[in-house]
Amino acid sequence: MSAPTAAAEITTDSLLPWDDTGRPWIGGRFTEAAGPTVDDHAPATGERLARVQLAAAEDVDAAVAAARAAQPAWAALSIRERAERMEALADRILATVDRIGRLDSRDTGSPLTPMTNGARKGALYLKQIAGAALELQGRTIPASARGWHVTRREPWGVIGAITAYNHPTLYSCQKSGPALIAGNTIVIKPSEQAPLSTLLFASLTEDLLPPGVLNVVPGHAEAGAALVAHRDVTRVSFTGSVATGLQIQRTIADSGRIKSLQLELGGKNPIVVFADADPAEAADATVRGMNFMRVQGQSCGSTSRLIVHRELRDAVTEEILTRVDKIRIGLPEAEGTQMGSLISPVHRDRVLGFVEAGKADGGELLAGGGAPADPALAGGAFVSPTVFAGVQLGHTLAQEEVFGPVLSIMTFTEDADAIELANATEYGLTASVWTRDIDRALRAADAIEAGYVWVNDVETRYTGVPFGGFKQSGIGSEQSLLDDLEQCTRTKAVNIAVR
Ligand code: NAD
């Protein structure tokens, strides 16, 4: 049973930066909008958390206009000054981190500690990228005998950022840090499924960023589409599903404007365990990489396909089941909870649909596959950690991203087959490889089509190392500081004749 905690006494109203209704943050303040007012719910309990007025297309217009008006003066500050403001914002986040983490935990259903850590990680990222600001440099190119040929890094102007629901505050930091330090202004559209902390984040910029430099427009797909299509938005940075990524490409084409585009999309990521790996270590890595704990599998980087050598299959599977059995699923703020609720009942049903497809395809359900028995969790969108064995290449679970706590186990005999299986999806985001043989490890790292590969490691994202997808998993990368800054600029070449 999940014990209720003192957390229940901390009202959500006391965490919110408004009295009655959340509204778009435009031009440095919460602004009355034209969109409808909706209730925002906690997926773990179904309880109403807040009322939020959504941005209609005209509010998106107003936000872009504010961002456009603010951009020249913001870009005219020195990069050092802009970086200092973002460092100060990081300090404000750190001073508020418990409140932000709790709000994110309630809004997403994920456990309190990882959500608080995510907000802290976002703040530290802002500090790190602020420290890297002066590395955003042009080049001097010896292209002619006497002339000077130099490149300058100039901002795009207004960046439109659209985010997924799983790590709201981390994304607010990752989208705004490089954009603003490079001299752009920004309009962020958070996920309609967890918009609260992005509005709190915006309110922390009051008196720190000039009005219009950072704007937030809560809303559904229509608000996102209006932002993407807006003629004054010159770069779009998107984190979400492949389907929405494709739709954004269409919207951009239909807008008749050429735009810079970053897409951080989904994954169906392999963890390959070769015959010489240690079964217990591989099982640990599989459970950790699957992100059952922390976000209930709702991470783009989750290694949701275990591809294990036939000889190790039974040992690794047994170790995985022992570990999965011990995962403590509970209310997000309850003491000791390791795994919380999915983002919504709709998503829970979608995940359970994948479980049905897994069974219908002939996979063997070894654990989970439904809601936990604890009656305290009956009001939420909980799904127990789920493990399928006997998954074959043609099965739905071998191909489609579940974005939930469902692990699929596949087997191989020859190394070459493992690589073929690893590459046999449309996705190419992360991959993890387990072996004690350095040649085997390097051959696999070379052959696997993914943007982020771990060898004898899994799950951790290292700040400074670019995280981005191959194939359908996206274009561009994030988290690498200098690359992030560079992607938020365009290059101007200046050729100076010396007479
Ligand atoms: P989603 O694509 O449903 O929604 C993401 C955002 O796009 C939301 O803010 C949504 O309102 C907005 N949106 C929806 N339709 C739109 C449209 N037509 N035009 C503009 N914006 C639109 O994704 P989700 O369910 O929030 O998140 C889960 C997905 O995100 C998974 O596929 C996951 O793998 C992916 N993801 C990727 C990364 C990464 O870094 N690669 C990180 C987190 C999540």
Side-chain angles (χ1 to χ4, degrees), residues 161-167 171 174-175 189-193 219-228 238-245 247-248 251 263-267 298-301 343 347 350 401 403 427 429 461 467-469 473-474 478-479:
I162 298 173
T163 56
Y165 62 77
N166 52 346
H167 298 291
Y171 296 146
Q174 286 177 349
K175 298 291 184 200
K189 196 209 79 65
S191 168
E192 65 276 23
Q193 309 206 68
H220 290 276
E222 300 71 31
L227 183 59
V228 168
F238 172 71
T239 299
S241 64
V242 172
T244 308
Q247 186 54 45
I248 284 175
T251 305
L263 296 173
E264 299 285 339
L265 307 178
Q298 298 166 120
S299 171
C300 54
I343 189 66
H347 187 49
R350 189 171 169 273
E401 182 188 44
F403 212 60
Y427 295 99
L429 191 54
R461 316 271 183 85
F467 182 88
S473 292
E478 280 185 334
Q479 304 172 24

Side-chain angles (χ1 to χ4, degrees), residues 66-417:
R68 185 162 186 230
Q71 198 267 332
W74 176 247
L77 296 177
S78 73
I79 194 166
R80 189 60 239 156
E81 255 176 295
R82 293 194 299 267
E84 278 166 8
R85 304 281 180 101
M86 297 313 280
E87 238 176 308
L89 177 57
D91 287 331
R92 288 187 183 184
I93 294 169
L94 290 174
T96 324
V97 79
D98 291 336
R99 183 175 157 202
I100 299 174
R102 195 171 293 280
L103 199 54
D104 269 342
S105 176
R106 288 188 186 177
D107 213 6
T108 62
S110 291
L112 180 60
T113 304
M115 294 319 280
T116 307
N117 288 344
R120 192 174 286 116
K121 192 173 169 198
L124 295 179
Y125 168 83
L126 283 183
K127 282 183 179 268
Q128 285 162 322
I129 195 159
L134 292 177
E135 301 302 322
L136 184 62
Q137 295 162 2
R139 291 186 294 153
T140 308
I141 303 151
S144 68
R146 300 185 57 227
W148 286 40
H149 308 270
V150 297
T151 60
R152 287 157 47 98
R153 293 278 181 182
E154 297 191 356
W156 289 101
V158 178
I159 294 185
I162 298 173
T163 56
Y165 62 77
N166 52 346
H167 298 291
T169 304
L170 184 60
Y171 296 146
S172 298
C173 295
Q174 286 177 349
K175 298 291 184 200
S176 62
L180 299 193
I181 290 171
N184 305 277
T185 52
I186 193 166
V187 178
I188 304 175
K189 196 209 79 65
S191 168
E192 65 276 23
Q193 309 206 68
L196 302 182
S197 70
T198 310
L199 290 167
L200 172 57
F201 172 84
S203 73
L204 296 179
T205 67
E206 196 175 9
D207 304 329
L208 184 58
L209 300 180
V213 166
L214 182 143
N215 309 273
V216 175
V217 286
H220 290 276
E222 300 71 31
L227 183 59
V228 168
H230 200 291
R231 63 174 291 127
D232 290 333
V233 170
T234 39
R235 174 173 166 84
V236 174
S237 173
F238 172 71
T239 299
S241 64
V242 172
T244 308
L246 286 169
Q247 186 54 45
I248 284 175
Q249 289 187 318
R250 265 182 235 120
T251 305
I252 291 176
D254 291 346
S255 77
R257 312 295 299 176
I258 301 296
K259 295 174 193 260
S260 164
L261 178 61
Q262 174 183 37
L263 296 173
E264 299 285 339
L265 307 178
K268 185 79 202 179
N269 310 299
I271 173 164
V272 179
V273 176
F274 287 104
D276 62 342
D278 175 67
E281 206 178 31
D284 259 348
T286 305
V287 173
R288 198 152 56 85
M290 184 56 234
N291 291 303
F292 287 121
M293 293 169 279
R294 214 164 63 80
V295 283
Q296 303 75 245
Q298 298 166 120
S299 171
C300 54
S302 298
T303 39
S304 55
R305 287 184 298 143
L306 168 63
I307 300 172
V308 58
H309 192 275
R310 196 165 292 279
E311 280 170 13
L312 288 193
R313 181 192 54 196
D314 293 349
V316 173
T317 303
E318 198 174 310
E319 297 267 1
I320 287 173
L321 293 177
T322 306
R323 283 162 176 73
V324 161
D325 197 45
K326 289 188 187 139
I327 293 175
R328 291 191 299 275
I329 186 162
L331 290 171
E333 293 167 77
E335 189 76 33
T337 291
Q338 294 174 307
M339 181 174 176
S341 158
L342 296 179
I343 189 66
S344 67
V346 171
H347 187 49
R348 175 200 53 207
D349 293 347
R350 189 171 169 273
V351 169
L352 294 179
F354 278 111
V355 171
E356 290 312 310
K359 289 194 241 171
D361 283 340
E364 188 189 349
L365 181 63
L366 299 182
D374 185 347
L377 307 182
F382 293 86
V383 173
S384 300
T386 298
V387 180
F388 269 95
V391 176
Q392 307 292 325
L393 200 50
H395 293 187
T396 303
L397 287 181
Q399 297 297 330
E400 290 188 34
E401 182 188 44
V402 176
F403 212 60
V406 180
L407 172 70
S408 303
I409 303 180
M410 310 174 82
T411 51
F412 70 93
T413 309
E414 301 299 326
D415 284 13
D417 298 338

